[in-house]
Amino acid sequence: MNKVLEINKVSLGYNNNLILKNIEITLSKGDFLVIHGKNGSGKSSFLKFLYMKIFPISGKYRIFGEEVFFSNKSFINRCRKKMGIILQKNFLIPYLSIFQNVQLSFEVQSNNSTSNDNRVFEILKWVGLEKKAELKVVNLSDGEKQKVVIARALVSNPPILIADEPMLYLDSISREKLFFLLKAINKLGTTIIVADNQNKDEYFNSRKVNIEQFVITK
């Protein structure tokens, strides 16, 4: 299997205060990893490290076989373009439409100033928003905004998907559709990392890691 992410003895913290220590995880193409643990245990911090929003205090991180040097901003930007990211507070542009928010993400991620409208509509249909494509984000419910965040993360077919509580704000029907969508793209080879304590047992054929095993005890 092709290695996608390699995390070797990584420790994380803020202002040199450790919160997670000696994280050792290797993921290959098509792996599905669910991170769980109680609130405040470091799940979100770990995901921020994965997409290089926070830097490690120690250890090594490799993406597609290349070591990440956190001082190399151009390399980090290239790596992020291979990632779809779903966050609990993943800010949308409120006065653009649903379609425009997703379209903009496609253009940025694919380095293409000409967006593929068919692909944008396809992913909006997947999340059930194709009939609301022209609505401004500012007028959406929390559940609809979460669907836009999901569509924006998936529109460019990223090889890596990182999601922090992706089922947040979704009703039961929307959760089932998202589970199906994640299963489908995972079968196609997308490597998925999800932090989801509430729904961890509902994910299919996934590896599970309790982040608390890496927590620094005081």
Side-chain angles (χ1 to χ4, degrees), residues 31-47:
D31 278 351
F32 197 125
L33 178 67
V34 180
I35 304 292
H36 62 96
K38 64 185 179 183
N39 290 340
S41 59
K43 298 189 299 295
S44 294
S45 293
F46 176 65
L47 294 192

Side-chain angles (χ1 to χ4, degrees), residues 1-14:
M1 297 289 287
N2 296 325
K3 292 181 180 179
V4 173
L5 299 176
E6 299 171 77
I7 302 160
N8 184 16
K9 296 188 181 300
V10 162
S11 295
L12 302 175
Y14 297 93

Side-chain angles (χ1 to χ4, degrees), residues 5 22 25 51 59 70 116 131 180:
L5 299 176
N22 290 332
I25 297 173
Y51 64 86
F70 285 83
N116 186 329
K131 294 181 180 179
F180 180 82

